[in-house]
Amino acid sequence: MPTLILVRHGRSTANTEGVLAGWTPGVALDERGGEQAAALPARLAALPISEVVTSPLQRCQETIRPLLEARPGLTAHTEERIGECHYGDWSGRKLADLTDEPLMEVVQAHPSAAAFPGGESMRAMATRAAEAVREWNARVERDHGADAVYVMCSHGDIIKSLVADALGLHLDLFQRISVEPCSITAIRYTRLRPFLVRLGDTGDFASLAPRAEPPAGDATVGGGAGAP
């Protein structure tokens, strides 16, 4: 079965503003995010990419554009099921303002039981994403062979849920996974089991350096902004 290259979108204006974007329209890459996207073709240059699949949201479309321009033979397939979690009434709110919401504790510690008001449950998000990947695996293998490599550009919580699925982790453990903006995660699927072969690779270790303020114990919903 194919190898899936998961690319989280580059840093967005919502990331730097500390806003939970969700499906809010008009959330674009910021300047650094644009630079991250521009570097993506070189990072993936050694791979014979057979297909590109992307979330419909603007920040993912902008992230994948330089790759498509560098490889004129590729076109992007838009896949709604790998779009961001529908955060409902939380969409567009500051993450700092959400920390005291009772639901946030559930999102952190028991995400399989978390459902966003006016939105969807994290369980439903993970299920639709996993179903999309399995269908695309079959399609890519049918059209390009069992050793094919394809790219999906998606979002932090989606990618974390797919990693948990590949590792056989319960969704309640997925907040222990971190994927930075424009990071690359690779999962090689086989008939019997998937293998996680890269996780959150940015090629930049700056985010591992000690910070003036120690990192919080909670995960950033939707994914963080990456290195300062």
Side-chain angles (χ1 to χ4, degrees):
M1 295 180 73
T3 296
L4 170 60
I5 308 299
L6 289 161
V7 178
R8 186 183 167 200
H9 62 78
R11 197 175 74 176
S12 72
T13 53
N15 293 145
T16 48
E17 293 168 2
V19 169
L20 186 61
W23 285 70
T24 305
V27 177
L29 299 183
D30 67 7
E31 183 178 357
R32 181 172 178 182
E35 293 170 352
Q36 291 170 331
L40 192 59
R43 294 170 64 198
L44 298 177
L47 298 180
I49 298 169
S50 59
E51 299 281 1
V52 173
V53 185
T54 182
S55 158
L57 295 173
Q58 179 179 340
R59 51 198 183 274
C60 286
Q61 301 275 340
E62 291 178 352
T63 298
I64 217 67
R65 188 175 299 143
L67 179 63
L68 298 174
E69 291 172 350
R71 302 200 188 198
L74 290 176
T75 57
H77 304 274
T78 299
E79 173 58 76
E80 293 272 339
R81 291 173 295 177
I82 62 166
E84 182 63 283
C85 185
H86 291 275
Y87 296 117
D89 298 345
W90 280 25
S91 299
R93 293 182 60 185
K94 288 276 191 181
L95 287 164
D97 296 337
L98 292 169
T99 55
D100 293 330
E101 293 278 356
L103 177 61
M104 182 59 85
E105 187 176 14
V106 182
V107 169
Q108 294 292 331
H110 192 17
S112 66
F116 295 97
E120 71 178 329
S121 68
M122 302 199 90
R123 187 176 64 256
M125 172 204 75
T127 298
R128 63 172 163 86
E131 288 177 347
V133 165
R134 280 161 175 75
E135 290 180 21
W136 274 100
N137 282 348
R139 177 173 172 175
V140 169
E141 182 172 5
R142 180 197 68 203
D143 294 345
H144 303 282
D147 294 328
V149 177
Y150 74 109
V151 169
M152 272 189 174
C153 186
S154 187
H155 307 266
D157 280 350
I158 294 287
I159 294 173
K160 287 162 56 177
S161 74
L162 290 170
V163 170
D165 175 75
L167 293 176
L169 293 178
H170 196 284
L171 186 64
D172 286 345
L173 300 178
F174 100 129
Q175 297 290 27
R176 302 183 183 195
I177 299 165
S178 176
V179 288
E180 293 191 4
C182 223
S183 62
I184 293 172
T185 294
I187 302 171
R188 181 173 296 125
Y189 289 87
T190 74
R191 187 173 67 87
L192 296 180
R193 63 183 61 85
F195 293 89
L196 178 66
V197 292
R198 293 288 189 280
L199 176 60
D201 187 347
T202 64
D204 179 2
F205 295 101
S207 64
L208 302 180
R211 302 189 184 184
E213 296 183 5
D218 287 339
T220 303
V221 182

